[in-house]
């Protein structure tokens, strides 16, 4: 067995996961060895956060022993060739052009693989979580932002630009509100946690779901609107990709069926060419550590082997 390390960069915490995989570099048979969570200290700025990531990687290696490679889950977009940040909207910057891969590689002495955090979530859930056994799966994360990923035939598919799976940046309301990506009317701009809370007149998305459970009409209507927009975005992806399962996770998804149920119903209304009930919509299984686990699994692509590996 070979050990790989995964870090998931979040605005509040950095999650870490140590995963054992077969020496062949296959993700089948992977086992999570250790996990942890540490404060990000994002308020210190981008340069300090990169140093923090290197520090936490070294701490994990010192505690658990050497690793062959590391994966880093990024909450935004990056330049895969250069190993630099492009857009990380929810962490204090400046981030554009910031080196991510190279300084961490120099610090820990093993290859570092960058992956979007939602794609890392999708990979983890497909291999070890709620998507086990599916040849085709869509992952969706709901929280501060809305993320997504596409898993087909054993790989997270990234497309020509590394952005395949950005389900939340489909336009679901032409000329709608401005999104963090700069476009208008994206699903994320209409469904992310702060937008849901504002629409319901509550302080947080968690409060919205709690109040809706008590029969608050305004909260119920806000949830229904957000679920319908997500239903449009997921239905578009379902028609194009044909998944067996849609796995929904992220902080908001902790409210369980109160979140999943309305999205499932919206998807059923919107994807009329798909047989009713053919696509399962289920909650994620790996919790807040899925991104770190997926980042570790993505690092398998950096292991030496007789054949090049791709897809994560």
């Amino acid at each position: 067995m070979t050990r790989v390390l995964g870090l998931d960069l979040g605005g509040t915490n950095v999650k870490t996961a140590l995963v054992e995989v077969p020496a062949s570099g296959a993700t089948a048979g992977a086992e999570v060895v250790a996990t942890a969570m540490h404060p990000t200290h994002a308020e210190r700025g981008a340069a300090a956060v990169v140093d923090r990531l290197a520090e936490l990687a070294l701490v994990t290696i010192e505690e658990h022993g050497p690793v062959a490679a590391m994966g880093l889950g990024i909450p935004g977009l990056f330049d895969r060739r250069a190993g630099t940040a492009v857009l990380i909207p929810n962490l204090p910057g400046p981030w554009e052009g910031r080196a991510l891969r190279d300084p961490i590689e120099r610090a820990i002495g093993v290859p570092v693989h960058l992956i979007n955090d939602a794609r890392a979530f999708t990979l983890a859930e497909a291999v070890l979580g709620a998507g086990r056994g599916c040849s085709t799966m869509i992952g969706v994360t709901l929280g501060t932002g809305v993320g997504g990923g596409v898993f087909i035939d054993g790989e997270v598919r990234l497309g020509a630009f590394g952005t395949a799976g950005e389900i939340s940046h489909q336009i679901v309301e032409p000329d709608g509100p401005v999104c963090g990506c700069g476009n208008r009317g994206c699903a994320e701009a209409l469904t992310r946690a702060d937008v849901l809370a504002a629409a319901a007149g509550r302080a947080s998305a968690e409060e919205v779901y709690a109040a809706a459970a008590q029969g608050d009409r305004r909260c119920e209507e806000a949830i229904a609107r957000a679920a319908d927009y997500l239903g449009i975005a997921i239905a578009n992806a379902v028609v194009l990709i044909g998944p067996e399962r849609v796995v929904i996770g992220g902080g908001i998804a902790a409210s369980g069926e109160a979140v999943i149920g309305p999205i499932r119903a919206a998807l059923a209304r919107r994807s009329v060419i798909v047989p009713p009930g053919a696509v399962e919509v289920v909650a994620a299984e790996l919790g807040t550590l899925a991104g770190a686990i997926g980042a570790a699994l993505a690092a398998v692509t950096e292991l030496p082997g007789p054949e090049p590996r791709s897809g994560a």
Side-chain angles (χ1 to χ4, degrees), residues 22-74:
S24 63
T27 55
E31 181 178 348
V32 179
V33 175
T35 59
M37 188 179 302
H38 308 270
T40 304
H41 300 309
E43 72 283 355
R44 297 177 183 174
V49 168
V50 175
D51 289 343
R52 176 71 167 158
L53 292 168
E55 172 195 355
L56 293 176
L58 285 170
V59 165
T60 306
I61 291 168
E62 288 170 3
E63 182 175 355
H64 296 285
V67 298
M70 178 189 133
L72 175 61
I74 304 295

Side-chain angles (χ1 to χ4, degrees), residues 6-305:
L7 269 65
D8 179 20
L9 171 60
T12 303
N13 293 303
V14 176
K15 280 78 74 177
T16 66
L18 190 66
V19 177
E20 282 191 344
V21 297
S24 63
T27 55
E31 181 178 348
V32 179
V33 175
T35 59
M37 188 179 302
H38 308 270
T40 304
H41 300 309
E43 72 283 355
R44 297 177 183 174
V49 168
V50 175
D51 289 343
R52 176 71 167 158
L53 292 168
E55 172 195 355
L56 293 176
L58 285 170
V59 165
T60 306
I61 291 168
E62 288 170 3
E63 182 175 355
H64 296 285
V67 298
M70 178 189 133
L72 175 61
I74 304 295
L77 303 178
F78 54 89
D79 184 320
R80 184 172 303 278
R81 290 180 180 272
T84 57
V86 173
L87 174 68
I88 303 182
N90 297 314
L91 271 74
W95 282 101
E96 186 175 359
R98 173 77 54 184
L100 299 170
R101 182 188 60 218
D102 291 354
I104 299 175
E105 282 189 348
R106 286 194 297 269
I108 67 175
V110 300
V112 173
H113 183 93
L114 304 183
I115 183 170
N116 172 270
D117 58 352
R119 257 72 87 196
F121 159 86
T122 300
L123 180 59
E125 289 291 339
V127 174
L128 295 173
R132 288 188 309 276
C134 292
S135 63
T136 307
M137 188 201 94
I138 289 173
V140 180
T141 58
L142 306 177
T144 304
V146 179
V150 174
F151 181 87
I152 301 174
D153 294 336
E155 297 183 349
V156 171
R157 301 292 179 169
L158 302 176
F161 311 109
T163 56
E166 285 287 352
I167 291 165
S168 67
H169 292 294
Q170 297 175 72
I171 297 172
V172 296
E173 184 178 287
D175 302 319
V178 176
C179 181
C181 73
N183 211 338
R184 284 187 172 272
C186 293
E188 178 173 285
L190 293 153
T191 62
R192 66 178 190 265
D194 63 326
V195 171
L196 176 63
R202 298 284 172 163
S204 69
E206 290 75 17
E207 283 190 22
V208 176
Y209 284 101
Q214 299 300 315
D216 185 289
R217 183 66 177 167
R218 184 178 177 185
C219 291
E220 290 174 343
E221 291 174 349
I223 290 170
R225 282 196 301 275
D228 197 46
Y229 283 126
L230 285 169
I232 293 170
I234 296 171
N236 291 341
V238 164
V239 169
L240 288 172
I241 297 162
E244 301 154 70
R245 196 169 297 161
V246 176
V247 177
I248 298 180
I252 295 177
S255 295
E257 194 60 23
V259 176
I260 308 297
I263 295 173
R264 185 185 294 119
L267 173 61
R269 291 194 304 272
R270 298 290 184 177
S271 56
V272 295
I273 70 168
V274 176
V279 180
E280 297 179 283
V281 181
V282 302
E285 294 181 358
L286 299 177
T288 59
L289 291 162
I293 295 168
L297 293 172
V300 169
T301 62
E302 300 296 333
L303 298 179

